[in-house]
Amino acid sequence: LGSNKVHEVSPEGPVTPEVLKKSVVLTAQEAVRLAYGGNESVPTQETYLEGLRESVAGQNNRVAEGHTNHSEIRVSNEAASLEPDSVKRHAHQIGSFLEHLRGQELVQDARYN
Amino acid sequence: VLKKISQLLFGKQAVNAISQINSSAKHARSNYQTHKDYIAREAVLGARILGPIPSGHNREFFCLDRNTWIWHESWQDEAGRHQEFIVNYEVDPTGILKRINGGQFTKLQGQELANFDRAITEYYHQVSRQIYNTEAPALI
Protein backbone atom coordinates (compact mmCIF):
# COMPACT_ATOMS: atom_id res chain seq x y z
CA LEU A 1 0.00 0.00 0.00
CA GLY A 2 2.98 2.22 -0.01
CA SER A 3 3.20 4.42 2.98
CA ASN A 4 0.93 3.66 5.87
CA LYS A 5 1.11 7.22 6.96
CA VAL A 6 -2.31 8.69 7.50
CA HIS A 7 -2.77 11.69 5.34
CA GLU A 8 -5.50 13.78 3.78
CA VAL A 9 -7.74 13.19 6.76
CA SER A 10 -6.95 16.61 8.06
CA PRO A 11 -7.31 18.94 5.15
CA GLU A 12 -6.04 22.41 5.60
CA GLY A 13 -9.48 23.74 6.11
CA PRO A 14 -12.58 25.18 4.62
CA VAL A 15 -12.61 27.74 1.90
CA THR A 16 -15.99 29.30 2.16
CA PRO A 17 -18.11 30.35 5.09
CA GLU A 18 -20.55 27.62 4.19
CA VAL A 19 -17.95 24.93 4.49
CA LEU A 20 -16.52 26.67 7.49
CA LYS A 21 -19.78 26.10 9.31
CA LYS A 22 -19.73 22.39 8.60
CA SER A 23 -16.08 21.63 8.75
CA VAL A 24 -13.58 21.18 11.49
CA VAL A 25 -10.22 19.58 11.19
CA LEU A 26 -10.50 15.88 11.82
CA THR A 27 -7.29 14.36 13.04
CA ALA A 28 -6.13 11.06 11.72
CA GLN A 29 -6.56 9.45 15.11
CA GLU A 30 -10.13 10.68 15.40
CA ALA A 31 -10.91 9.39 11.95
CA VAL A 32 -9.60 5.96 12.86
CA ARG A 33 -11.56 5.97 16.09
CA LEU A 34 -14.71 6.92 14.24
CA ALA A 35 -14.12 4.19 11.73
CA TYR A 36 -13.93 1.72 14.58
CA GLY A 37 -17.10 2.82 16.26
CA GLY A 38 -15.57 5.09 18.83
CA ASN A 39 -13.51 2.41 20.52
CA GLU A 40 -10.38 3.44 22.30
CA SER A 41 -8.57 0.34 21.13
CA VAL A 42 -7.56 1.71 17.81
CA PRO A 43 -5.72 -0.85 15.71
CA THR A 44 -2.04 -0.24 15.21
CA GLN A 45 -0.09 -0.28 11.99
CA GLU A 46 0.50 -4.01 12.48
CA THR A 47 -3.19 -4.78 12.40
CA TYR A 48 -3.80 -3.21 9.03
CA LEU A 49 -5.83 -5.53 6.98
CA GLU A 50 -3.71 -7.40 4.56
CA GLY A 51 -4.30 -8.07 0.98
CA LEU A 52 -5.95 -4.80 0.14
CA ARG A 53 -4.01 -4.54 -3.06
CA GLU A 54 -5.65 -6.25 -5.96
CA SER A 55 -5.80 -5.24 -9.55
CA VAL A 56 -9.09 -5.22 -11.30
CA ALA A 57 -8.71 -6.97 -14.61
CA GLY A 58 -7.25 -4.67 -17.22
CA GLN A 59 -6.66 -1.83 -14.85
CA ASN A 60 -2.96 -2.49 -14.54
CA ASN A 61 -2.59 -1.70 -10.92
CA ARG A 62 -4.56 1.50 -11.05
CA VAL A 63 -7.14 0.30 -8.60
CA ALA A 64 -8.63 2.39 -5.89
CA GLU A 65 -8.42 0.64 -2.57
CA GLY A 66 -10.70 0.84 0.41
CA HIS A 67 -8.43 1.24 3.35
CA THR A 68 -10.69 0.12 6.14
CA ASN A 69 -8.66 1.47 8.99
CA HIS A 70 -8.82 5.01 7.76
CA SER A 71 -12.07 5.08 5.86
CA GLU A 72 -9.94 6.42 3.11
CA ILE A 73 -9.88 5.45 -0.50
CA ARG A 74 -6.35 4.79 -1.61
CA VAL A 75 -4.77 4.12 -4.92
CA SER A 76 -1.56 2.37 -5.56
CA ASN A 77 1.24 3.73 -7.65
CA GLU A 78 0.22 7.03 -9.10
CA ALA A 79 0.78 10.37 -7.56
CA ALA A 80 -2.06 12.82 -7.49
CA SER A 81 -2.15 15.84 -9.74
CA LEU A 82 -5.81 16.55 -10.18
CA GLU A 83 -7.59 19.82 -10.05
CA PRO A 84 -10.45 19.81 -7.53
CA ASP A 85 -12.72 21.30 -10.17
CA SER A 86 -12.15 18.41 -12.53
CA VAL A 87 -13.00 15.88 -9.82
CA LYS A 88 -16.15 17.79 -9.05
CA ARG A 89 -17.02 17.86 -12.73
CA HIS A 90 -16.34 14.14 -13.07
CA ALA A 91 -18.45 13.33 -10.03
CA HIS A 92 -21.31 15.36 -11.37
CA GLN A 93 -21.06 13.90 -14.85
CA ILE A 94 -20.90 10.36 -13.52
CA GLY A 95 -23.77 10.86 -11.11
CA SER A 96 -25.94 12.40 -13.80
CA PHE A 97 -25.19 9.62 -16.25
CA LEU A 98 -25.95 6.92 -13.70
CA GLU A 99 -29.22 8.58 -12.82
CA HIS A 100 -30.01 8.65 -16.51
CA LEU A 101 -29.24 4.93 -16.85
CA ARG A 102 -31.34 4.05 -13.84
CA GLY A 103 -34.18 6.12 -15.22
CA GLN A 104 -33.99 4.27 -18.52
CA GLU A 105 -34.16 0.94 -16.73
CA LEU A 106 -37.22 2.10 -14.79
CA VAL A 107 -38.94 3.04 -18.03
CA GLN A 108 -38.08 -0.30 -19.57
CA ASP A 109 -39.28 -2.19 -16.53
CA ALA A 110 -42.53 -0.26 -16.57
CA ARG A 111 -42.95 -1.07 -20.24
CA TYR A 112 -42.47 -4.79 -19.78
CA ASN A 113 -44.43 -5.21 -16.58
CA VAL B 1 -66.89 -9.44 -6.10
CA LEU B 2 -65.33 -7.16 -3.54
CA LYS B 3 -65.17 -4.37 -6.10
CA LYS B 4 -68.86 -4.79 -6.91
CA ILE B 5 -69.84 -4.72 -3.27
CA SER B 6 -67.71 -1.60 -2.78
CA GLN B 7 -69.33 0.03 -5.77
CA LEU B 8 -72.76 -0.68 -4.31
CA LEU B 9 -71.73 0.73 -0.96
CA PHE B 10 -69.65 3.76 -2.01
CA GLY B 11 -70.54 4.38 -5.62
CA LYS B 12 -68.68 3.52 -8.79
CA GLN B 13 -66.73 6.76 -9.08
CA ALA B 14 -65.36 6.57 -5.55
CA VAL B 15 -64.23 2.97 -6.00
CA ASN B 16 -62.60 3.76 -9.34
CA ALA B 17 -60.80 6.73 -7.81
CA ILE B 18 -59.54 4.57 -4.96
CA SER B 19 -58.31 1.88 -7.30
CA GLN B 20 -56.49 4.49 -9.39
CA ILE B 21 -54.78 5.79 -6.28
CA ASN B 22 -53.84 2.23 -5.30
CA SER B 23 -52.48 1.60 -8.75
CA SER B 24 -50.34 4.76 -8.65
CA ALA B 25 -49.06 3.85 -5.20
CA LYS B 26 -48.18 0.34 -6.39
CA HIS B 27 -46.42 1.81 -9.38
CA ALA B 28 -44.45 4.21 -7.20
CA ARG B 29 -43.52 1.36 -4.85
CA SER B 30 -42.43 -0.76 -7.77
CA ASN B 31 -40.30 2.07 -9.19
CA TYR B 32 -38.75 2.64 -5.80
CA GLN B 33 -37.96 -1.06 -5.46
CA THR B 34 -36.45 -1.24 -8.95
CA HIS B 35 -34.36 1.83 -8.26
CA LYS B 36 -33.14 0.28 -5.02
CA ASP B 37 -32.37 -3.00 -6.75
CA TYR B 38 -30.17 -1.28 -9.29
CA ILE B 39 -28.32 0.65 -6.64
CA ALA B 40 -27.82 -2.59 -4.70
CA ARG B 41 -26.30 -4.22 -7.76
CA GLU B 42 -24.05 -1.23 -8.32
CA ALA B 43 -23.01 -1.34 -4.67
CA VAL B 44 -21.76 -4.91 -5.01
CA LEU B 45 -19.63 -3.97 -7.98
CA GLY B 46 -18.51 -0.79 -6.28
CA ALA B 47 -17.36 -2.70 -3.21
CA ARG B 48 -14.87 -4.65 -5.32
CA ILE B 49 -13.49 -1.46 -6.83
CA LEU B 50 -12.24 -0.54 -3.38
CA GLY B 51 -10.12 -3.69 -3.34
CA PRO B 52 -10.51 -7.11 -1.73
CA ILE B 53 -13.11 -7.22 1.00
CA PRO B 54 -11.58 -8.48 4.24
CA SER B 55 -13.00 -11.72 5.52
CA GLY B 56 -16.10 -11.13 7.60
CA HIS B 57 -16.64 -7.61 6.28
CA ASN B 58 -19.64 -6.39 4.39
CA ARG B 59 -18.95 -3.50 2.10
CA GLU B 60 -20.98 -1.31 -0.20
CA PHE B 61 -19.75 1.54 -2.31
CA PHE B 62 -22.23 3.28 -4.54
CA CYS B 63 -23.52 6.45 -6.08
CA LEU B 64 -26.73 7.34 -4.28
CA ASP B 65 -27.60 10.27 -6.48
CA ARG B 66 -25.73 12.74 -8.65
CA ASN B 67 -24.31 14.51 -5.61
CA THR B 68 -23.83 11.71 -3.11
CA TRP B 69 -21.54 8.72 -2.86
CA ILE B 70 -21.63 6.23 0.00
CA TRP B 71 -19.05 3.83 1.35
CA HIS B 72 -20.46 1.56 4.03
CA GLU B 73 -18.49 -1.13 5.74
CA SER B 74 -19.49 -3.37 8.64
CA TRP B 75 -17.91 -6.26 10.47
CA GLN B 76 -17.76 -7.96 13.85
CA ASP B 77 -14.80 -7.16 16.03
CA GLU B 78 -12.91 -9.75 18.07
CA ALA B 79 -15.41 -9.40 20.91
CA GLY B 80 -18.25 -10.12 18.52
CA ARG B 81 -19.50 -6.54 18.56
CA HIS B 82 -20.95 -5.04 15.45
CA GLN B 83 -18.74 -2.34 13.99
CA GLU B 84 -19.37 -0.17 11.02
CA PHE B 85 -18.58 3.08 9.37
CA ILE B 86 -20.38 5.07 6.76
CA VAL B 87 -18.50 7.55 4.68
CA ASN B 88 -20.53 10.11 2.76
CA TYR B 89 -18.94 11.95 -0.10
CA GLU B 90 -20.90 14.96 -1.20
CA VAL B 91 -20.37 16.90 -4.37
CA ASP B 92 -20.57 20.44 -3.15
CA PRO B 93 -20.01 23.67 -5.09
CA THR B 94 -16.87 24.10 -2.99
CA GLY B 95 -15.50 20.63 -3.74
CA ILE B 96 -15.92 17.05 -2.57
CA LEU B 97 -16.88 16.92 1.07
CA LYS B 98 -16.38 13.83 3.18
CA ARG B 99 -18.13 12.89 6.37
CA ILE B 100 -17.52 9.79 8.48
CA ASN B 101 -20.35 8.36 10.57
CA GLY B 102 -22.35 11.55 10.43
CA GLY B 103 -19.51 13.62 11.84
CA GLN B 104 -18.06 16.84 10.56
CA PHE B 105 -17.47 17.52 6.92
CA THR B 106 -13.94 17.73 5.67
CA LYS B 107 -12.89 18.62 2.19
CA LEU B 108 -11.08 16.03 0.09
CA GLN B 109 -7.72 17.20 -1.13
CA GLY B 110 -4.51 15.96 -2.64
CA GLN B 111 -3.99 12.23 -2.93
CA GLU B 112 -7.29 11.35 -1.33
CA LEU B 113 -9.15 13.49 -3.82
CA ALA B 114 -7.32 11.79 -6.68
CA ASN B 115 -8.15 8.41 -5.19
CA PHE B 116 -11.79 9.31 -4.99
CA ASP B 117 -11.71 10.39 -8.60
CA ARG B 118 -10.10 7.12 -9.61
CA ALA B 119 -12.65 5.10 -7.67
CA ILE B 120 -15.71 6.81 -9.11
CA THR B 121 -14.30 6.75 -12.64
CA GLU B 122 -13.70 3.03 -12.33
CA TYR B 123 -17.19 2.61 -10.92
CA TYR B 124 -18.62 4.61 -13.80
CA HIS B 125 -17.06 2.41 -16.46
CA GLN B 126 -17.67 -0.91 -14.74
CA VAL B 127 -21.24 -0.21 -13.74
CA SER B 128 -22.16 1.16 -17.16
CA ARG B 129 -20.72 -1.85 -18.90
CA GLN B 130 -21.62 -4.66 -16.52
CA ILE B 131 -25.00 -3.57 -15.21
CA TYR B 132 -26.45 -1.37 -17.91
CA ASN B 133 -24.71 -2.90 -20.93
CA THR B 134 -23.54 0.40 -22.25
CA GLU B 135 -20.25 2.16 -22.72
CA ALA B 136 -19.83 5.21 -20.55
CA PRO B 137 -19.04 8.40 -22.46
CA ALA B 138 -15.56 9.80 -21.91
CA LEU B 139 -15.32 12.15 -18.99
CA ILE B 140 -14.76 15.78 -19.80
Side-chain angles (χ1 to χ4, degrees):
Chain A
L1 285 176
S3 166
N4 278 332
K5 185 182 161 199
V6 179
H7 56 98
E8 310 305 341
V9 188
S10 308
E12 283 174 8
V15 216
T16 66
E18 191 189 346
V19 180
L20 193 65
K21 272 193 285 183
K22 298 192 254 187
S23 182
V24 294
V25 174
L26 184 68
T27 67
Q29 198 68 8
E30 283 167 340
V32 174
R33 228 187 338 265
L34 275 172
Y36 275 78
N39 288 338
E40 289 303 317
S41 56
V42 175
T44 60
Q45 298 280 350
E46 288 71 35
T47 64
Y48 282 178
L49 300 165
E50 292 180 357
L52 286 183
R53 186 192 296 267
E54 183 188 61
S55 292
V56 171
Q59 288 309 305
N60 193 25
N61 215 16
R62 291 171 57 232
V63 180
E65 296 171 341
H67 200 287
T68 311
N69 294 48
H70 300 150
S71 313
E72 181 183 321
I73 295 172
R74 290 188 170 194
V75 176
S76 52
N77 279 353
E78 292 185 15
S81 59
L82 267 176
E83 290 297 321
D85 276 354
S86 72
V87 180
K88 216 169 59 185
R89 201 171 53 244
H90 288 169
H92 196 261
Q93 188 183 342
I94 292 170
S96 300
F97 186 69
L98 291 172
E99 283 194 343
H100 164 72
L101 291 177
R102 291 171 190 161
Q104 275 190 333
E105 295 297 329
L106 288 180
V107 170
Q108 280 191 2
D109 280 3
R111 202 172 281 154
Y112 293 124
N113 293 325
Chain B
V1 178
L2 188 64
K3 192 172 178 182
K4 280 190 178 175
I5 293 170
S6 304
Q7 281 175 354
L8 286 171
L9 287 173
F10 305 113
K12 200 172 180 177
Q13 278 185 333
V15 172
N16 284 345
I18 289 169
S19 67
Q20 270 183 358
I21 290 168
N22 281 341
S23 164
S24 304
K26 268 186 201 163
H27 185 63
R29 264 200 303 276
S30 157
N31 271 356
Y32 174 70
Q33 190 56 45
T34 307
H35 192 252
K36 263 180 57 177
D37 290 345
Y38 277 104
I39 290 181
R41 289 170 63 185
E42 290 179 25
V44 172
L45 243 175
R48 286 187 231 134
I49 288 169
L50 299 191
I53 301 165
S55 172
H57 281 225
N58 290 312
R59 178 189 294 163
E60 296 165 299
F61 178 64
F62 58 94
C63 171
L64 181 65
D65 57 45
R66 69 182 61 193
N67 293 318
T68 315
W69 290 77
I70 308 282
W71 171 14
H72 174 235
E73 187 130 354
S74 63
W75 67 96
Q76 301 251 326
D77 67 13
E78 286 170 2
R81 288 172 303 193
H82 177 80
Q83 302 285 358
E84 70 176 342
F85 63 77
I86 300 174
V87 186
N88 277 47
Y89 298 94
E90 298 195 10
V91 185
D92 188 76
T94 60
I96 308 295
L97 304 180
K98 170 184 174 181
R99 183 164 64 158
I100 304 171
N101 288 347
Q104 301 291 334
F105 281 99
T106 55
K107 195 171 164 187
L108 285 193
Q109 291 181 330
Q111 185 68 53
E112 192 177 8
L113 182 69
N115 297 344
F116 175 77
D117 186 65
R118 182 73 45 73
I120 63 172
T121 302
E122 188 60 36
Y123 180 100
Y124 174 56
H125 290 293
Q126 287 198 27
V127 161
S128 299
R129 202 176 304 131
Q130 295 180 36
I131 296 181
Y132 300 104
N133 297 315
T134 189
E135 280 301 318
L139 293 173
I140 302 164

